[in-house]
Amino acid sequence: EAGVAQSPRYKIIEKRQSVAFWCNPISGHATLYWYQQILGQGPKLLIQFQNNGVVDDSQLPKDRFSAERLKGVDSTLKIQPAKLEDSAVYLCASSSRLLAGDGNEQFFGPGTRLTVL
Amino acid sequence: AQSVAQPEDQVNVAEGNPLTVKCTYSVSGNPYLFWYVQYPNRGLQFLLKYITGDNLVKGSYGFEAEFNKSQTSFHLKKPSALVSDSALYFCAVRASYNFNKFYFGSGTKLNVKP
């Protein structure tokens, strides 16, 4: 099966500019995650969707970050305006379902490396 | 609160020797435990998981992990390391009752020298 697709792979912008990342999960996967991975750290969850609804966005900086998954398939993460500290790899992941007691693993895309100058 | 600790930033091992990458966790209720590997400029790749049952879990590429409930640990092991195993390894946990977050450790860089 095809994996999780992300684009672009690399992006360089200046601070205060806007940027958008796109993710297409594995076909049929209901749950989609966006993570931020700063160099030297583990992934930090930004937002989690179940179909087209938000399950958890408690760590999303909502003053500048937004995400949507309008049709319950692909998703877009936007940063507006960007700050220097947003430089990181943004990872998208999906899993087939998410119910209490579900041990399904996540499948990750290759990530988008963002550099904010 | 749920959390994962990987106490070693880096592990060095000679090719052919056994390797261990350590992980301890804190979670309310029964844990679901995962190991992922990340190669440079790549996303995370699933290696193995513990859900229930046998404490020794076997995964991809000859890796295995042992779940120890009393020590709240889930160490990753391999009997004979390969140079190609050199990568960044992440442990993750999710509580069985909480269908929200996965919590990731900070990662351990494994260096396998020829």
Side-chain angles (χ1 to χ4, degrees):
Chain A
E1 64 183 0
V4 177
Q6 288 188 249
S7 67
R9 290 296 310 276
Y10 305 91
K11 190 73 177 179
I12 300 173
I13 62 173
E14 295 187 351
K15 60 183 179 183
R16 291 188 290 273
Q17 285 188 323
S18 302
V19 65
F21 312 128
W22 174 82
C23 172
N24 191 24
I26 292 173
S27 178
H29 279 195
T31 309
L32 185 147
Y33 311 78
W34 282 104
Y35 288 89
Q36 181 192 58
Q37 186 179 19
I38 292 173
L39 187 65
Q41 299 181 15
K44 183 186 84 171
L45 181 69
L46 292 175
I47 190 167
Q48 177 182 321
F49 292 93
Q50 180 80 356
N51 297 308
N52 61 349
V54 175
V55 174
D56 187 337
D57 63 357
S58 58
Q59 298 194 91
L60 186 73
K62 297 180 187 63
D63 58 334
R64 298 184 301 106
F65 286 65
S66 64
E68 59 184 15
R69 193 186 185 199
L70 293 176
K71 296 182 179 179
V73 180
D74 55 350
S75 175
T76 303
L77 176 70
K78 295 180 181 178
I79 308 175
Q80 181 180 6
K83 293 185 175 181
L84 296 177
E85 59 261 35
D86 298 332
S87 293
V89 175
Y90 291 85
L91 295 166
C92 179
S94 69
S95 64
S96 58
R97 62 185 185 276
L98 199 65
L99 306 172
D102 180 349
N104 278 341
E105 64 271 23
Q106 301 174 46
F107 295 85
F108 284 82
T112 296
R113 182 177 297 277
L114 174 67
T115 302
V116 182
L117 303 175
Chain B
Q2 279 70 239
S3 66
V4 177
Q6 293 182 242
E8 302 156 317
D9 290 336
Q10 187 167 294
V11 169
N12 298 311
V13 65
E15 187 175 31
N17 283 0
L19 69 88
T20 299
V21 182
K22 295 180 181 177
C23 171
T24 59
Y25 65 90
S26 173
V27 68
S28 301
N30 294 322
Y32 292 157
L33 294 155
F34 304 81
W35 275 101
Y36 287 84
V37 60
Q38 187 176 34
Y39 296 98
N41 300 314
R42 303 284 293 276
L44 277 69
Q45 182 177 339
F46 170 74
L47 275 179
L48 51 78
K49 66 181 177 182
Y50 172 83
I51 304 300
T52 186
D54 194 349
N55 289 344
L56 185 64
V57 178
K58 294 189 183 297
S60 306
Y61 311 120
F63 284 94
E64 57 189 27
E66 185 167 13
F67 170 63
N68 188 317
K69 188 172 184 177
S70 63
Q71 297 184 5
T72 62
S73 67
F74 189 56
H75 299 333
L76 181 70
K77 300 180 180 183
K78 187 172 182 181
S80 179
L82 299 172
V83 172
S84 57
D85 293 330
S86 298
L88 194 54
Y89 290 81
F90 291 97
C91 182
V93 67
R94 184 165 78 79
S96 57
Y97 68 90
N98 175 0
F99 55 89
N100 287 349
K101 295 176 184 176
F102 283 74
Y103 293 85
F104 283 86
S106 56
T108 298
K109 189 170 189 299
L110 174 65
N111 296 312
V112 181
K113 298 180 188 275

